């Protein structure tokens, strides 16, 4: 990548900001809310067609793949998945291919929810762009199109082939995407020649320093129900005569975790991988402040206290170790005022965030055994049932992989600093789905700031993050284009032993063979 291209590209981006804001405004105006398919399916499809038309105007090929799942559990038709491709004009067969994933659906939003402006009208204030989907994930999704557009207008060939996979159900469980990935990863299909994946659907740790994310926690989400009768009862008439479900459930929920955050379920910590010296060192340079964290998360004005006082300890608790959270109780009275009712059935909801090498199935067994034992000790005649509703393993990548190194170099050239290497406490199951289906590396390259308020009121995208985000993604393509060696997707090397894997440059299809990148 020449300094001349970098200067021209940066100038083009700076000159196109008004265009970018106007086009992001068009996208935000489409209420592509996936939580309500009966109302918004047409809007999701309209958003996908808006992007498809844009792609075709840029000279790319695109199609709307019918959703492999067809309909959701309620019988609602699921939106299609947008697939697109931009091939390099020269030597496309020998150039590597990157697939960029994003989603075009958004969370529900209404001004009466507490927004300062109409959530579906992009509103600029103090160099911030407010609107539903501005940062999650329409801004980053459109940035890939703006990168392609810049190359077209500057007359510069793409350094790699670019594929796009944009879905319309991410905010509602990515229904159909996992099936599509399996289908499209087969030989000769859309994903079979992809060498690298890039996802920009998470956020910086702070508001000013960029980062790359190499790890996500997994999830085990449970319900625990206790039933004492067929219908709700009057507490004045029948209180004291029946074994109440809520009483049992509260004791079961309290047996899972104590007030210090310690998980009380035996066996949960058994499979947690040890922290290596290399991993521990990554935390030393991370830009993070506990006091700012308290203010950002509205803790300072209430308890003004976190579980840990030291930055490294807090980050490890947030990313590196499993946690258990109690979410709520279904079936209990939760309205305003007073209602003297004995619930016939109460259902507690809780989840664990998992880390390597925990497996959701083993966690399910540990939790089930624990709750059954505790319930038995209560001597209750009521009926209790434990169900694992969702389970996903943690994802952990190698921050030294060439895909991450390319992203780091691009970030440094835009921001003048190397990014922090972070993990996240949340889960993005699509990341694991791509890696397991293709065996190719996935890099999480966030472009938004920690205070963008995704999913919340007044979601915003900083104008400077929009501008620099386009620049980083554009240079990232060029850094990928300069990687040496064969295409990882074409590597068919035999997996190496643990000793051989210690040698520099060892990857298999991009991971574990000696194809030097």
């Amino acid at each position: 990548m020449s300094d001349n291209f970098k200067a021209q590209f940066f100038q083009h981006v700076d000159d196109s900001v008004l265009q970018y804001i106007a086009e992001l405004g068009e996208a935000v105006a489409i209420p592509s809310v996936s939580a309500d398919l009966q109302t918004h399916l047409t809007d999701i499809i309209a958003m996908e067609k808006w992007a498809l038309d844009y792609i075709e105007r840029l000279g790319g090929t695109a199609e709307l793949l019918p959703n492999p799942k067809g309909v959701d559990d309620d019988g609602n038709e699921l939106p299609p998945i947008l697939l697109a491709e931009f091939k390099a004009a020269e030597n496309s067969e020998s150039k590597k291919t990157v697939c960029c994933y994003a989603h075009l659906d958004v969370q529900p939003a209404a001004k009466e929810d507490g927004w300062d402006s109409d959530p579906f009208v992009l509103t600029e204030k103090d160099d911030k762009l407010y609107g539903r989907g501005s940062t999650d994930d329409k801004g980053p999704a459109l940035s890939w199109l703006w990168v392609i557009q810049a190359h077209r207008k500057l007359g510069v060939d793409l350094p790699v082939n670019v594929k796009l996979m944009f879905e319309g159900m991410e905010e509602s469980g990515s229904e159909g995407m996992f099936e599509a990935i399996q289908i499209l990863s087969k030989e000769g299909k859309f994903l079979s020649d992809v060498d690298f994946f890039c996802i920009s659907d998470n956020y910086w740790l702070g508001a000013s320093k960029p980062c790359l994310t190499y790890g996500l926690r997994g999830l085990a989400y449970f319900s625990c129900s206790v039933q004492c009768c067929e219908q709700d009862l009057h507490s004045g008439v029948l209180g004291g005569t029946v074994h109440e479900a809520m009483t049992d459930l509260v004791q079961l929920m309290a047996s899972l975790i104590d007030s210090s955050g310690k998980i009380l379920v035996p066996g949960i910590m058994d499979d947690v991988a040890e922290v290596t010296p290399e991993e521990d060192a990554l935390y030393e340079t991370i830009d993070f402040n506990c006091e700012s964290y308290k203010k950002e998360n509205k803790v300072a004005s209430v308890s003004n206290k976190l579980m840990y006082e030291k930055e490294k300890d807090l980050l490890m608790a947030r990313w590196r170790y499993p946690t258990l959270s109690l979410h709520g109780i279904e079936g209990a009275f939760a309205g305003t005022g007073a209602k003297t009712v004995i619930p016939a059935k109460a259902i507690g909801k809780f989840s664990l965030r998992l880390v390597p090498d925990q497996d959701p199935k083993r966690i399910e067994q540990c939790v089930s055994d624990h709750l059954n034992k505790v319930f038995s000790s209560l001597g209750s005649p009521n009926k209790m049932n434990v169900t694992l509703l969702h389970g996903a393993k943690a994802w952990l990548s190698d921050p030294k992989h060439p895909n991450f190194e390319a992203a780091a170099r691009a970030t440094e050239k835009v921001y003048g600093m190397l990014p922090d290497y972070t993990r996240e406490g949340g889960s993005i199951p699509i990341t694991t789905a791509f890696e397991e289906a293709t065996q190719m590396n996935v890099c999480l390259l966030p472009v938004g700031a920690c205070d963008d308020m995704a999913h919340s009121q007044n979601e915003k995208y900083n104008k400077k993050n929009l501008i620099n985000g386009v620049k980083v993604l554009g240079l990232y393509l060029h850094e990928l284009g300069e990687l040496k060696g064969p295409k990882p997707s074409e590597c068919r090397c035999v997996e190496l032993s643990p000793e051989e894997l210690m040698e520099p440059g060892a990857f298999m299809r991009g991971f574990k063979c000696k194809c030097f990148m």
Side-chain angles (χ1 to χ4, degrees), residues 142-161:
L142 267 59
S143 294
W144 292 112
L145 306 184
W146 296 329
V147 166
I148 301 294
Q149 184 184 64
H151 283 78
R152 297 286 192 258
K153 290 191 173 183
L154 294 173
V156 177
D157 193 19
L158 291 173
V160 292
N161 303 307

Side-chain angles (χ1 to χ4, degrees), residues 171-234:
E171 300 291 8
S172 297
S174 291
E175 291 200 65
M177 266 296 290
F178 301 101
E179 293 86 347
I181 290 171
Q182 290 297 321
I183 294 168
L184 296 174
S185 297
K186 294 179 179 178
E187 195 69 30
K189 298 294 186 179
F190 183 76
L191 297 176
S192 64
D193 62 346
V194 171
D195 303 297
F196 309 100
F197 287 90
C198 184
I199 299 176
S200 295
D201 189 24
N202 64 313
Y203 304 92
W204 294 351
L205 179 61
S208 59
K209 188 176 182 183
C211 69
L212 300 178
T213 303
Y214 68 96
L216 299 165
R217 290 196 293 191
L219 176 69
Y221 195 107
F222 292 89
S223 71
C224 176
S225 67
V226 180
Q227 184 173 3
C228 64
C229 53
E230 294 181 0
Q231 65 183 44
D232 292 351
L233 304 175
H234 191 300

